[in-house]
Coordinates of all heavy atoms in Angstrom, one line a residue:
M1 N 30.0 14.4 -56.9 CA 29.6 14.2 -55.5 C 28.2 13.7 -55.3 O 27.9 13.2 -54.4 CB 29.9 15.5 -54.7 CG 31.3 15.6 -54.2 SD 31.8 14.3 -53.2 CE 32.7 15.0 -52.0
Q2 N 27.4 14.1 -56.4 CA 26.0 13.9 -56.2 C 25.7 12.5 -56.2 O 24.7 12.0 -55.5 CB 25.2 14.6 -57.3 CG 23.7 14.6 -57.2 CD 23.0 15.4 -58.2 OE1 23.6 15.8 -59.2 NE2 21.8 15.5 -58.0
G3 N 26.4 11.7 -57.0 CA 26.2 10.3 -56.9 C 26.5 9.5 -55.6 O 26.1 8.3 -55.4
R4 N 27.2 10.1 -54.7 CA 27.6 9.5 -53.4 C 26.5 9.9 -52.3 O 26.5 9.2 -51.3 CB 28.9 10.2 -52.9 CG 30.1 9.8 -53.7 CD 31.4 10.3 -53.1 NE 32.5 10.0 -53.9 CZ 33.3 8.8 -53.8 NH1 32.9 8.0 -52.9 NH2 34.2 8.7 -54.6
E5 N 25.6 10.7 -52.6 CA 24.6 10.9 -51.6 C 23.8 9.8 -51.1 O 23.6 9.6 -49.9 CB 23.7 12.2 -52.0 CG 24.4 13.5 -52.1 CD 23.7 14.6 -52.6 OE1 22.4 14.5 -52.7 OE2 24.2 15.7 -52.9
P6 N 23.2 9.0 -52.0 CA 22.4 7.8 -51.6 C 23.2 6.8 -50.7 O 22.8 6.3 -49.6 CB 22.0 7.1 -52.9 CG 22.1 8.2 -53.8 CD 23.1 9.1 -53.5
S7 N 24.6 6.6 -51.1 CA 25.4 5.7 -50.2 C 25.6 6.3 -48.8 O 25.8 5.6 -47.9 CB 26.6 5.4 -51.0 OG 27.5 6.6 -51.2
L8 N 25.8 7.7 -48.9 CA 26.0 8.3 -47.5 C 24.8 8.3 -46.7 O 24.9 8.0 -45.4 CB 26.5 9.8 -47.7 CG 27.8 9.9 -48.3 CD1 28.2 11.4 -48.5 CD2 28.9 9.2 -47.5
N9 N 23.7 8.4 -47.3 CA 22.4 8.2 -46.6 C 22.2 6.8 -46.0 O 21.7 6.7 -45.0 CB 21.2 8.6 -47.4 CG 21.1 10.1 -47.6 OD1 21.6 11.0 -46.8 ND2 20.5 10.5 -48.8
A10 N 22.6 5.8 -46.9 CA 22.4 4.4 -46.4 C 23.5 4.2 -45.2 O 23.1 3.5 -44.2 CB 22.8 3.5 -47.5
L11 N 24.7 4.8 -45.3 CA 25.6 4.6 -44.3 C 25.2 5.3 -43.0 O 25.3 4.6 -41.9 CB 27.0 5.4 -44.7 CG 28.0 5.2 -43.6 CD1 28.5 3.8 -43.3 CD2 29.3 6.1 -44.1
L12 N 24.6 6.4 -43.1 CA 23.9 7.1 -41.9 C 22.8 6.3 -41.3 O 22.7 6.1 -40.1 CB 23.5 8.5 -42.3 CG 22.9 9.3 -41.1 CD1 23.9 9.4 -39.9 CD2 22.4 10.6 -41.6
T13 N 22.0 5.8 -42.2 CA 20.8 4.9 -41.7 C 21.4 3.7 -41.0 O 20.8 3.3 -39.8 CB 19.9 4.5 -42.9 OG1 19.4 5.8 -43.5 CG2 18.8 3.7 -42.5
N14 N 22.3 3.0 -41.5 CA 22.9 1.8 -41.0 C 23.6 2.2 -39.7 O 23.4 1.3 -38.6 CB 23.9 1.2 -42.0 CG 23.1 0.5 -43.1 OD1 22.0 0.2 -43.0 ND2 23.9 0.4 -44.2
A15 N 24.3 3.3 -39.5 CA 24.8 3.6 -38.3 C 23.7 3.9 -37.1 O 24.0 3.6 -36.0 CB 25.7 5.0 -38.5
V16 N 22.7 4.5 -37.5 CA 21.6 4.8 -36.6 C 21.0 3.4 -36.1 O 20.7 3.2 -34.9 CB 20.5 5.7 -37.2 CG1 19.2 5.7 -36.3 CG2 21.0 7.1 -37.3
I17 N 20.7 2.6 -37.1 CA 20.2 1.2 -36.8 C 21.1 0.5 -35.8 O 20.7 -0.1 -34.8 CB 19.8 0.5 -38.0 CG1 18.7 1.1 -38.8 CG2 19.5 -1.1 -37.7 CD1 18.4 0.5 -40.2
F18 N 22.3 0.5 -36.2 CA 23.4 -0.2 -35.3 C 23.4 0.4 -33.9 O 23.5 -0.4 -32.9 CB 24.7 -0.1 -36.0 CG 25.8 -0.8 -35.3 CD1 25.8 -2.3 -35.1 CD2 26.8 -0.2 -34.5 CE1 26.8 -2.8 -34.4 CE2 27.8 -0.8 -33.9 CZ 27.7 -2.2 -33.7
H19 N 23.5 1.8 -33.8 CA 23.5 2.3 -32.5 C 22.3 2.1 -31.7 O 22.3 1.7 -30.5 CB 23.7 3.8 -32.8 CG 23.8 4.6 -31.4 ND1 22.8 4.8 -30.6 CD2 24.9 5.0 -30.7 CE1 23.2 5.6 -29.5 NE2 24.5 5.6 -29.5
N20 N 21.1 2.1 -32.4 CA 19.9 1.7 -31.6 C 19.7 0.3 -31.2 O 19.3 0.0 -30.1 CB 18.6 1.9 -32.6 CG 18.4 3.5 -32.8 OD1 18.9 4.3 -32.0 ND2 17.7 3.8 -33.8
A21 N 20.2 -0.7 -32.1 CA 20.4 -2.1 -31.7 C 21.2 -2.2 -30.4 O 20.8 -3.0 -29.5 CB 20.8 -2.9 -32.9
L22 N 22.3 -1.5 -30.4 CA 23.3 -1.6 -29.2 C 22.5 -1.1 -27.9 O 22.6 -1.6 -27.0 CB 24.5 -0.9 -29.4 CG 25.5 -1.3 -30.4 CD1 26.6 -0.4 -30.6 CD2 25.9 -2.7 -30.0
D23 N 21.8 0.0 -28.1 CA 21.1 0.6 -27.0 C 20.0 -0.4 -26.5 O 19.8 -0.5 -25.3 CB 20.5 1.9 -27.4 CG 21.4 3.1 -27.4 OD1 22.5 2.9 -27.0 OD2 21.1 4.2 -28.0
I24 N 19.2 -1.0 -27.5 CA 18.2 -1.9 -27.1 C 18.7 -3.1 -26.4 O 18.2 -3.4 -25.3 CB 17.3 -2.3 -28.3 CG1 16.5 -1.1 -29.0 CG2 16.4 -3.5 -28.0 CD1 16.1 -1.3 -30.4
A25 N 19.8 -3.6 -26.9 CA 20.5 -4.8 -26.3 C 21.0 -4.4 -24.8 O 20.7 -5.2 -23.9 CB 21.6 -5.2 -27.0
E26 N 21.5 -3.2 -24.7 CA 21.9 -2.8 -23.3 C 20.7 -2.8 -22.4 O 20.9 -3.2 -21.2 CB 22.6 -1.4 -23.4 CG 23.1 -0.9 -22.1 CD 24.3 -1.7 -21.4 OE1 25.0 -2.3 -22.2 OE2 24.4 -1.6 -20.3
I27 N 19.7 -2.2 -22.8 CA 18.4 -2.2 -21.9 C 18.0 -3.6 -21.5 O 17.5 -3.8 -20.4 CB 17.3 -1.3 -22.6 CG1 17.8 0.2 -22.7 CG2 16.0 -1.5 -21.9 CD1 16.9 1.1 -23.5
V28 N 17.9 -4.4 -22.6 CA 17.5 -5.9 -22.3 C 18.5 -6.4 -21.3 O 18.0 -7.1 -20.3 CB 17.5 -6.6 -23.6 CG1 17.2 -8.1 -23.4 CG2 16.3 -6.1 -24.5
H29 N 19.7 -6.3 -21.5 CA 20.7 -6.8 -20.5 C 20.4 -6.2 -19.1 O 20.4 -7.0 -18.2 CB 22.2 -6.4 -20.9 CG 22.8 -7.2 -21.9 ND1 23.0 -8.5 -21.8 CD2 23.2 -6.9 -23.2 CE1 23.6 -9.0 -22.8 NE2 23.6 -8.1 -23.7
Q30 N 20.1 -5.0 -19.0 CA 19.7 -4.4 -17.6 C 18.5 -5.1 -17.1 O 18.5 -5.3 -15.9 CB 19.6 -2.9 -17.8 CG 21.0 -2.2 -18.0 CD 20.9 -0.7 -18.3 OE1 19.8 -0.2 -18.2 NE2 22.0 0.0 -18.6
L31 N 17.4 -5.2 -17.8 CA 16.3 -5.7 -17.4 C 16.5 -7.1 -16.9 O 15.9 -7.5 -15.9 CB 15.2 -5.6 -18.4 CG 14.7 -4.1 -18.8 CD1 13.7 -4.2 -20.0 CD2 14.0 -3.5 -17.6
L32 N 17.2 -7.9 -17.7 CA 17.5 -9.4 -17.3 C 18.2 -9.3 -16.0 O 17.9 -10.3 -15.2 CB 18.2 -10.0 -18.5 CG 17.4 -10.4 -19.7 CD1 18.4 -10.8 -20.9 CD2 16.3 -11.3 -19.5
E33 N 19.2 -8.5 -15.8 CA 19.9 -8.5 -14.5 C 19.1 -8.0 -13.4 O 19.3 -8.5 -12.3 CB 21.2 -7.5 -14.7 CG 22.3 -8.0 -15.5 CD 23.4 -6.9 -15.7 OE1 23.3 -5.9 -15.1 OE2 24.3 -7.2 -16.5
E34 N 18.1 -7.2 -13.6 CA 17.1 -6.8 -12.6 C 16.1 -8.0 -12.3 O 15.2 -7.7 -11.5 CB 16.4 -5.5 -13.0 CG 17.4 -4.4 -12.9 CD 16.8 -3.1 -13.5 OE1 15.4 -3.1 -13.7 OE2 17.4 -2.2 -13.7
G35 N 16.1 -9.0 -13.1 CA 15.2 -10.0 -12.9 C 13.9 -10.0 -13.7 O 13.0 -10.8 -13.6
W36 N 13.8 -9.2 -14.6 CA 12.7 -9.1 -15.5 C 12.6 -10.3 -16.5 O 13.7 -10.8 -16.9 CB 12.6 -7.9 -16.3 CG 12.4 -6.6 -15.5 CD1 13.2 -5.9 -14.9 CD2 11.1 -5.9 -15.5 NE1 12.5 -4.8 -14.3 CE2 11.3 -4.8 -14.6 CE3 9.8 -6.2 -16.0 CZ2 10.3 -4.0 -14.4 CZ3 8.8 -5.3 -15.8 CH2 9.1 -4.2 -15.0
E37 N 11.6 -10.8 -16.8 CA 11.5 -11.9 -17.8 C 11.1 -11.2 -19.1 O 10.1 -10.4 -19.2 CB 10.3 -12.9 -17.4 CG 10.3 -14.0 -18.4 CD 9.3 -15.1 -17.8 OE1 9.2 -15.3 -16.6 OE2 8.6 -15.6 -18.7
I38 N 11.9 -11.5 -20.1 CA 11.7 -10.8 -21.4 C 11.0 -11.8 -22.4 O 11.5 -12.9 -22.6 CB 13.2 -10.4 -22.0 CG1 13.9 -9.6 -21.1 CG2 13.0 -9.8 -23.4 CD1 13.3 -8.2 -20.7
D39 N 9.9 -11.3 -23.0 CA 9.2 -12.1 -23.9 C 9.7 -11.8 -25.3 O 9.7 -10.6 -25.7 CB 7.6 -11.7 -23.8 CG 6.8 -12.5 -24.7 OD1 7.3 -13.3 -25.6 OD2 5.6 -12.4 -24.6
P40 N 10.1 -12.9 -26.0 CA 10.8 -12.6 -27.3 C 9.7 -12.1 -28.3 O 10.1 -11.2 -29.1 CB 11.3 -14.0 -27.8 CG 10.8 -15.0 -26.9 CD 10.3 -14.2 -25.6
E41 N 8.5 -12.3 -28.1 CA 7.4 -11.6 -28.9 C 7.4 -10.0 -28.8 O 7.2 -9.3 -29.8 CB 6.1 -12.2 -28.6 CG 4.9 -11.7 -29.5 CD 5.0 -12.4 -30.8 OE1 5.4 -13.5 -31.0 OE2 4.5 -11.7 -31.8
D42 N 7.7 -9.7 -27.6 CA 7.8 -8.2 -27.4 C 9.0 -7.6 -28.1 O 8.9 -6.5 -28.7 CB 7.9 -7.7 -25.9 CG 6.6 -8.2 -25.1 OD1 5.5 -8.2 -25.8 OD2 6.6 -8.4 -24.0
L43 N 10.1 -8.3 -28.0 CA 11.3 -7.7 -28.7 C 11.2 -7.7 -30.2 O 11.7 -6.9 -30.8 CB 12.5 -8.6 -28.3 CG 13.1 -8.4 -26.9 CD1 14.2 -9.4 -26.7 CD2 13.5 -7.0 -26.6
A44 N 10.4 -8.7 -30.7 CA 10.1 -8.8 -32.1 C 9.4 -7.5 -32.7 O 9.5 -7.2 -33.9 CB 9.4 -10.0 -32.5
H45 N 8.7 -6.8 -31.8 CA 8.1 -5.6 -32.2 C 8.7 -4.3 -32.1 O 8.1 -3.2 -32.2 CB 6.7 -5.6 -31.6 CG 5.7 -6.8 -32.0 ND1 5.1 -6.8 -33.1 CD2 5.3 -7.9 -31.3 CE1 4.4 -8.0 -33.1 NE2 4.6 -8.6 -32.0
I46 N 9.9 -4.3 -31.6 CA 10.7 -3.1 -31.5 C 11.6 -2.9 -32.7 O 12.5 -3.6 -33.0 CB 11.7 -3.2 -30.2 CG1 10.9 -3.5 -29.0 CG2 12.5 -1.9 -30.1 CD1 11.8 -3.7 -27.7
P47 N 11.2 -1.9 -33.5 CA 12.0 -1.6 -34.7 C 13.4 -0.9 -34.4 O 13.5 -0.1 -33.5 CB 11.2 -0.6 -35.4 CG 10.3 0.1 -34.4 CD 10.1 -0.9 -33.3
P48 N 14.4 -1.4 -35.1 CA 15.7 -0.7 -34.8 C 16.0 0.7 -35.4 O 16.8 1.3 -35.1 CB 16.7 -1.8 -35.3 CG 16.0 -2.4 -36.4 CD 14.5 -2.5 -35.9
Y49 N 15.0 1.0 -36.2 CA 15.2 2.3 -36.9 C 14.3 3.4 -36.3 O 13.3 3.7 -36.8 CB 14.9 2.3 -38.5 CG 15.3 3.6 -39.2 CD1 16.6 4.1 -39.1 CD2 14.4 4.3 -39.8 CE1 17.1 5.1 -39.7 CE2 14.8 5.5 -40.5 CZ 16.2 5.9 -40.4 OH 16.5 7.1 -41.0
L50 N 14.7 3.9 -35.1 CA 14.0 4.9 -34.3 C 14.8 6.2 -34.5 O 16.1 6.1 -34.5 CB 14.0 4.5 -32.8 CG 13.3 3.1 -32.5 CD1 13.6 2.7 -31.1 CD2 11.8 3.2 -32.9
T51 N 14.0 7.2 -34.8 CA 14.8 8.5 -35.0 C 14.4 9.6 -34.3 O 14.9 10.7 -34.4 CB 14.6 8.9 -36.6 OG1 13.2 9.0 -36.8 CG2 15.2 7.8 -37.5
E52 N 13.5 9.4 -33.2 CA 13.0 10.6 -32.5 C 14.1 11.2 -31.6 O 14.1 12.4 -31.4 CB 12.0 10.0 -31.5 CG 10.6 9.6 -32.2 CD 10.7 8.2 -32.6 OE1 11.6 7.4 -32.2 OE2 9.9 7.8 -33.4
H53 N 15.2 10.5 -31.4 CA 16.3 10.9 -30.4 C 17.5 11.7 -31.2 O 18.4 12.1 -30.7 CB 16.9 9.8 -29.7 CG 17.5 8.8 -30.5 ND1 16.8 8.0 -31.4 CD2 18.8 8.4 -30.8 CE1 17.6 7.1 -31.9 NE2 18.8 7.4 -31.7
I54 N 17.2 11.8 -32.5 CA 18.2 12.3 -33.4 C 17.9 13.8 -33.6 O 16.8 14.2 -34.1 CB 18.4 11.7 -34.8 CG1 18.8 10.2 -34.6 CG2 19.3 12.3 -35.7 CD1 18.7 9.4 -35.9
N55 N 18.9 14.6 -33.3 CA 18.8 16.1 -33.5 C 19.8 16.5 -34.5 O 21.0 16.8 -34.3 CB 19.1 16.9 -32.1 CG 18.9 18.4 -32.3 OD1 18.6 18.9 -33.2 ND2 19.1 19.0 -31.1
R56 N 19.3 16.5 -35.9 CA 20.2 16.7 -36.9 C 21.0 18.1 -36.8 O 22.1 18.1 -37.3 CB 19.5 16.6 -38.2 CG 19.0 15.2 -38.5 CD 18.2 15.2 -39.8 NE 18.8 15.8 -40.9 CZ 18.2 16.2 -42.0 NH1 16.9 16.1 -42.1 NH2 18.9 16.8 -43.0
F57 N 20.4 19.1 -36.3 CA 20.9 20.4 -36.4 C 21.3 21.0 -35.1 O 21.5 22.1 -35.0 CB 20.1 21.3 -37.2 CG 19.6 20.8 -38.6 CD1 18.3 20.4 -38.9 CD2 20.6 20.8 -39.6 CE1 18.0 19.9 -40.1 CE2 20.2 20.3 -40.8 CZ 18.9 19.9 -41.1
G58 N 21.4 20.0 -34.1 CA 21.7 20.5 -32.8 C 23.2 20.7 -32.6 O 24.1 20.6 -33.5
E59 N 23.7 20.9 -31.3 CA 25.0 21.1 -31.0 C 25.6 19.7 -30.5 O 24.9 19.0 -29.8 CB 25.1 22.2 -29.9 CG 24.7 23.5 -30.3 CD 24.9 24.6 -29.1 OE1 25.7 24.2 -28.2 OE2 24.3 25.6 -29.2
Y60 N 26.8 19.4 -31.0 CA 27.3 18.1 -30.6 C 28.7 18.3 -30.1 O 29.5 19.1 -30.5 CB 27.3 17.2 -32.0 CG 26.1 16.9 -32.5 CD1 25.4 17.7 -33.5 CD2 25.3 15.9 -32.0 CE1 24.2 17.5 -33.8 CE2 23.9 15.6 -32.4 CZ 23.5 16.4 -33.5 OH 22.2 16.1 -33.9
S61 N 29.0 17.4 -29.1 CA 30.3 17.4 -28.5 C 31.1 16.2 -29.2 O 30.5 15.2 -29.5 CB 30.2 17.0 -27.0 OG 31.4 16.8 -26.5
T62 N 32.4 16.4 -29.5 CA 33.2 15.4 -30.0 C 34.1 14.9 -29.0 O 35.1 14.1 -29.5 CB 34.0 15.9 -31.2 OG1 34.7 17.2 -30.8 CG2 32.9 16.4 -32.2
H63 N 34.1 15.2 -27.8 CA 35.2 14.7 -26.8 C 34.9 13.2 -26.6 O 35.8 12.5 -26.2 CB 35.0 15.4 -25.5 CG 33.9 14.9 -24.6 ND1 32.6 15.4 -24.8 CD2 33.9 14.1 -23.6 CE1 31.9 14.9 -23.9 NE2 32.6 14.0 -23.2
E64 N 33.9 12.6 -27.0 CA 33.6 11.1 -26.8 C 34.4 10.3 -27.8 O 34.6 9.1 -27.7 CB 32.1 10.8 -27.0 CG 31.2 11.3 -25.9 CD 30.7 12.7 -26.4 OE1 31.1 13.3 -27.3 OE2 29.9 13.2 -25.4
F65 N 35.0 11.0 -28.9 CA 35.7 10.2 -29.8 C 37.0 9.5 -29.2 O 37.4 8.6 -29.7 CB 36.1 11.1 -31.1 CG 35.0 11.4 -31.9 CD1 35.0 12.8 -32.5 CD2 33.8 10.7 -32.2 CE1 33.8 13.2 -33.3 CE2 32.8 11.0 -33.0 CZ 32.9 12.3 -33.5
G66 N 37.5 10.1 -28.2 CA 38.7 9.6 -27.6 C 38.3 8.5 -26.5 O 39.4 8.0 -25.9
I67 N 37.1 8.3 -26.2 CA 36.8 7.3 -25.1 C 36.8 6.0 -25.8 O 36.2 5.6 -26.7 CB 35.4 7.7 -24.6 CG1 35.5 9.1 -24.0 CG2 35.0 6.6 -23.5 CD1 34.1 9.6 -23.4
Q68 N 37.5 5.0 -25.1 CA 37.4 3.6 -25.6 C 36.3 2.9 -24.9 O 36.1 2.8 -23.6 CB 38.8 2.9 -25.1 CG 39.0 1.6 -25.5 CD 39.1 1.4 -27.0 OE1 39.7 2.1 -27.6 NE2 38.7 0.2 -27.5
P69 N 35.5 2.3 -25.7 CA 34.3 1.6 -25.0 C 34.6 0.3 -24.5 O 35.6 -0.3 -24.7 CB 33.4 1.4 -26.3 CG 34.2 1.4 -27.5 CD 35.4 2.3 -27.2
D70 N 33.8 -0.1 -23.6 CA 34.0 -1.6 -22.9 C 33.7 -2.5 -23.9 O 33.0 -2.3 -25.0 CB 33.1 -1.6 -21.8 CG 33.4 -0.8 -20.6 OD1 34.6 -0.3 -20.4 OD2 32.4 -0.5 -19.8
A71 N 34.2 -3.7 -23.8 CA 34.0 -4.8 -24.7 C 32.5 -5.1 -24.7 O 31.8 -5.0 -23.7 CB 34.8 -6.1 -24.3
Y72 N 31.9 -5.4 -25.8 CA 30.5 -5.6 -26.0 C 30.2 -7.0 -26.1 O 30.8 -7.7 -26.8 CB 29.9 -4.9 -27.2 CG 28.5 -5.0 -27.4 CD1 27.5 -4.5 -26.6 CD2 28.0 -5.9 -28.4 CE1 26.2 -4.8 -26.8 CE2 26.6 -6.3 -28.6 CZ 25.8 -5.6 -27.8 OH 24.5 -5.8 -27.9
D73 N 29.2 -7.5 -25.3 CA 28.7 -8.9 -25.2 C 27.5 -8.9 -26.0 O 26.4 -8.5 -25.6 CB 28.6 -9.4 -23.8 CG 28.0 -10.9 -23.8 OD1 28.1 -11.6 -24.9 OD2 27.7 -11.3 -22.7
P74 N 27.4 -9.6 -27.3 CA 26.3 -9.5 -28.0 C 25.2 -10.5 -27.7 O 24.1 -10.5 -28.3 CB 26.7 -9.8 -29.5 CG 27.9 -10.7 -29.3 CD 28.5 -10.2 -28.0
K75 N 25.5 -11.4 -26.7 CA 24.6 -12.4 -26.4 C 23.4 -11.9 -25.5 O 23.6 -11.3 -24.4 CB 25.1 -13.6 -25.7 CG 24.3 -14.7 -25.3 CD 25.0 -16.0 -25.0 CE 24.2 -17.1 -24.6 NZ 22.9 -17.1 -24.9
L76 N 22.3 -12.2 -25.9 CA 21.0 -11.9 -25.1 C 20.5 -13.2 -24.6 O 20.3 -14.2 -25.3 CB 19.9 -11.2 -25.9 CG 20.3 -9.8 -26.5 CD1 19.0 -9.2 -27.2 CD2 20.4 -8.8 -25.2
D77 N 20.2 -13.3 -23.3 CA 19.6 -14.5 -22.7 C 18.2 -14.6 -22.9 O 17.3 -14.7 -21.9 CB 19.9 -14.7 -21.3 CG 21.5 -14.9 -21.0 OD1 22.1 -15.5 -21.9 OD2 22.0 -14.4 -20.1
V78 N 17.7 -14.6 -24.2 CA 16.3 -14.6 -24.5 C 16.2 -15.7 -25.4 O 16.8 -15.9 -26.5 CB 15.8 -13.3 -25.1 CG1 14.3 -13.4 -25.6 CG2 15.9 -12.2 -24.2
D79 N 15.2 -16.7 -25.3 CA 14.9 -17.8 -26.1 C 14.0 -17.4 -27.2 O 12.8 -17.2 -27.0 CB 14.3 -19.0 -25.2 CG 14.2 -20.2 -26.2 OD1 14.7 -20.3 -27.3 OD2 13.5 -21.1 -25.6
F80 N 14.5 -17.3 -28.5 CA 13.7 -17.0 -29.6 C 13.1 -18.2 -30.3 O 12.5 -18.0 -31.4 CB 14.5 -16.2 -30.6 CG 14.9 -14.7 -30.1 CD1 16.0 -14.4 -29.5 CD2 13.9 -13.9 -30.3 CE1 16.3 -13.2 -29.0 CE2 14.2 -12.5 -29.8 CZ 15.4 -12.2 -29.2
T81 N 13.3 -19.4 -29.8 CA 12.8 -20.6 -30.5 C 11.2 -20.5 -30.7 O 10.9 -20.8 -31.8 CB 13.1 -21.9 -29.5 OG1 14.6 -21.8 -29.3 CG2 12.7 -23.0 -30.2
P82 N 10.5 -20.1 -29.8 CA 9.0 -20.0 -30.1 C 8.7 -19.2 -31.3 O 7.9 -19.6 -32.1 CB 8.4 -19.4 -28.8 CG 9.3 -19.7 -27.8 CD 10.7 -19.6 -28.4
L83 N 9.5 -18.0 -31.5 CA 9.2 -17.3 -32.7 C 9.6 -18.0 -33.9 O 8.9 -17.9 -35.0 CB 9.9 -15.9 -32.6 CG 9.4 -15.0 -31.5 CD1 10.3 -13.7 -31.5 CD2 8.0 -14.6 -31.7
R84 N 10.7 -18.6 -33.8 CA 11.2 -19.5 -35.1 C 10.2 -20.5 -35.4 O 9.9 -20.8 -36.6 CB 12.6 -20.0 -34.9 CG 13.7 -19.1 -34.9 CD 15.1 -19.7 -34.9 NE 16.0 -18.9 -34.1 CZ 16.4 -19.2 -32.9 NH1 16.0 -20.2 -32.3 NH2 17.1 -18.3 -32.2
E85 N 9.7 -21.3 -34.4 CA 8.7 -22.3 -34.6 C 7.4 -21.7 -35.3 O 6.9 -22.4 -36.0 CB 8.4 -23.0 -33.3 CG 9.6 -23.8 -32.9 CD 9.4 -24.4 -31.4 OE1 8.5 -24.0 -30.8 OE2 10.3 -25.2 -31.1
Q86 N 7.0 -20.6 -34.7 CA 5.8 -19.9 -35.3 C 6.0 -19.5 -36.7 O 5.1 -19.7 -37.6 CB 5.5 -18.7 -34.5 CG 4.3 -17.9 -34.8 CD 4.1 -16.7 -33.9 OE1 4.9 -16.4 -33.0 NE2 3.2 -15.9 -34.2
D87 N 7.1 -19.0 -37.1 CA 7.5 -18.7 -38.5 C 7.5 -20.0 -39.4 O 7.0 -19.9 -40.4 CB 8.9 -18.0 -38.6 CG 8.9 -16.6 -38.0 OD1 7.7 -16.1 -37.9 OD2 10.0 -16.0 -37.9
L88 N 8.0 -21.0 -38.8 CA 8.1 -22.2 -39.7 C 6.6 -22.7 -39.8 O 6.4 -23.2 -40.9 CB 8.9 -23.4 -39.0 CG 10.5 -23.1 -39.0 CD1 11.2 -24.2 -38.1 CD2 11.0 -23.1 -40.4
A89 N 5.8 -22.7 -38.8 CA 4.5 -23.2 -39.0 C 3.7 -22.3 -39.9 O 2.9 -22.8 -40.7 CB 3.8 -23.2 -37.6
A90 N 3.9 -21.0 -40.0 CA 3.1 -20.2 -40.8 C 3.6 -20.2 -42.3 O 2.9 -20.1 -43.1 CB 3.5 -18.7 -40.4
A91 N 4.9 -20.7 -42.5 CA 5.4 -21.0 -43.8 C 4.8 -22.1 -44.4 O 4.6 -22.2 -45.7 CB 7.0 -21.1 -43.7
G92 N 4.4 -23.2 -43.7 CA 3.7 -24.3 -44.2 C 4.7 -25.4 -44.5 O 6.0 -25.1 -44.6
P93 N 4.2 -26.6 -44.9 CA 5.1 -27.6 -45.2 C 5.9 -27.5 -46.5 O 5.2 -27.0 -47.5 CB 4.2 -29.0 -45.3 CG 2.8 -28.3 -45.5 CD 2.8 -27.0 -44.8
G94 N 7.1 -27.8 -46.6 CA 7.8 -27.7 -47.8 C 8.4 -26.3 -48.2 O 8.9 -26.2 -49.2
Q95 N 8.2 -25.4 -47.4 CA 8.5 -24.0 -47.7 C 9.7 -23.7 -46.7 O 9.6 -23.9 -45.6 CB 7.4 -23.0 -47.5 CG 6.4 -23.2 -48.5 CD 5.3 -22.1 -48.4 OE1 5.3 -21.4 -47.4 NE2 4.3 -22.1 -49.2
A96 N 10.7 -23.0 -47.3 CA 11.8 -22.5 -46.5 C 11.4 -21.3 -45.6 O 10.7 -20.5 -46.1 CB 13.0 -22.2 -47.3
A97 N 11.9 -21.2 -44.4 CA 11.5 -20.0 -43.6 C 12.5 -18.9 -43.8 O 13.6 -19.1 -44.3 CB 11.6 -20.5 -42.1

């Protein structure tokens, strides 16, 4: 069993990152619907591995396991082209980004 611990840690880390990415995307969707303008440069500085909200030894409810989530729309209406162009310019000529 000891050999499985690193893979379980990686699985847990990936689950936290995925959950955080969904939460961040939901907030961005809400802000866009409210009329906020989202700067892609600001989004580029939000790390998906946030752990402050995790209570490892707290009390947890499992009734949510039976709840069917709504369909998820992964599209964000944010133009990331300026960031891509900035990365290409920083890479220099003849280098892949």
